Amino acid sequence: KAGVTQTPRYLIKTRGQQVTLSCSPISGHRSVSWYQQTPGQGLQFLFEYFSETQRNKGNFPGRFSGRQFSNSRSEMNVSTLELGDSALYLCASSSATSNEQFFGPGTRLTVL
Amino acid sequence: SQQGEEDPQALSIQEGENATMNCSYKTSINNLQWYRQNSGRGLVHLILIRSNEREKHSGRLRVTLDTSKKSSSLLITASRAADTASYFCGAGSARQLTFGSGTQLTVLP
């Protein structure tokens, strides 16, 4: 079974731009969670989607948003990018019957 | 704020030795998961332990959970150079995990 995939793997943007990251969960997994990892703040939870509905949200500004499609693929969007948004963005998927979260390789976002 | 906190922050051992990492968390959880991360890549799932479990084994890994002390430990036995990585615990409920800053394990050949 293929793992969680994320695209793109690397991204360079400038301040003020917006960015969209994509995540395809493991086949059959309907829950997708997003995390931000930075050297200063570590791994922080952004939000979680299940069956196209956002169920949980972390403490991030409204510039960070996401959505999930009917095939369980998910996207997250960051608008009006700031230098501090430079991070590794990780998504994880889990099945409806298990709490195990399996992570993708991440998207490395650099904001200049 | 981070819920899980790993201890020590860094650990250096010789190949063949055992490595023990500890994790503490602050609020009630229904599960705790340990992950390995190599050089800024994705997190590799190692093991999940539920709040009603006290110990779990998987290969060379042994995890314990003490909910009264809100702490967990990960033991890697007979370590190998390939075990060199950062290790994180994610304390969770539902599908939201809160992570600590991780333990950087270096296994010297």
Side-chain angles (χ1 to χ4, degrees):
Chain A
K1 193 182 270 190
V4 178
T5 58
Q6 292 186 246
T7 57
R9 293 292 310 279
Y10 302 91
L11 208 48
I12 299 175
K13 292 285 187 179
T14 56
R15 278 180 299 175
Q17 287 187 311
Q18 75 166 19
V19 67
T20 299
L21 312 181
S22 180
C23 172
S24 292
I26 291 171
S27 178
H29 286 192
R30 294 166 60 190
S31 170
V32 173
S33 299
W34 288 89
Y35 295 83
Q36 180 197 64
Q37 185 177 29
T38 60
Q41 298 298 317
L43 275 154
Q44 296 189 91
F45 172 78
L46 281 155
F47 28 66
E48 185 246 347
Y49 286 87
F50 181 84
S51 291
E52 303 178 66
T53 301
Q54 185 183 91
R55 293 198 299 189
N56 296 297
K57 189 177 191 304
N59 189 25
F60 277 81
R63 300 185 297 106
F64 292 81
S65 62
R67 59 178 175 168
Q68 187 180 35
F69 302 94
S70 58
N71 61 358
S72 295
R73 189 177 69 86
S74 178
E75 289 181 347
M76 69 163 281
N77 184 277
V78 188
S79 62
T80 320
L81 284 166
E82 301 176 359
L83 295 178
D85 297 334
S86 293
L88 181 66
Y89 289 88
L90 295 159
C91 82
S93 75
S94 58
S95 70
T97 56
S98 170
N99 285 318
E100 288 179 318
Q101 289 197 19
F102 297 94
F103 283 78
T107 293
R108 172 76 62 185
L109 172 65
T110 301
V111 182
L112 303 175
Chain B
S1 63
Q2 295 181 335
Q3 169 154 244
E5 288 295 335
E6 288 85 352
D7 168 59
Q9 290 190 335
L11 180 61
S12 186
I13 59 174
Q14 294 292 135
E15 209 165 21
E17 294 182 334
N18 296 341
T20 299
M21 288 158 267
N22 303 296
C23 164
S24 61
Y25 57 93
K26 296 176 183 174
T27 63
S28 297
I29 61 171
N30 66 29
N31 71 84
L32 187 142
Q33 304 183 46
W34 283 91
Y35 293 86
R36 183 184 76 233
Q37 185 178 41
N38 291 85
S39 302
R41 297 184 180 181
L43 276 66
V44 174
H45 189 271
L46 296 176
I47 196 164
L48 177 151
I49 186 165
R50 293 180 175 78
S51 59
N52 62 353
E53 297 175 311
R54 292 296 168 258
E55 188 171 313
K56 203 163 180 180
H57 296 254
S58 177
R60 295 186 294 115
L61 306 179
R62 172 178 168 254
V63 169
T64 62
L65 180 64
D66 187 334
T67 53
S68 67
K69 295 181 180 178
K70 290 185 166 60
S71 67
S72 173
S73 68
L74 170 67
L75 168 68
I76 303 174
T77 60
S79 63
R80 306 165 181 167
D83 294 329
T84 294
S86 293
Y87 290 81
F88 294 88
C89 76
S93 59
R95 288 165 184 82
Q96 176 177 346
L97 296 176
T98 307
F99 291 89
S101 52
T103 292
Q104 173 60 49
L105 172 66
T106 302
V107 181
L108 303 169

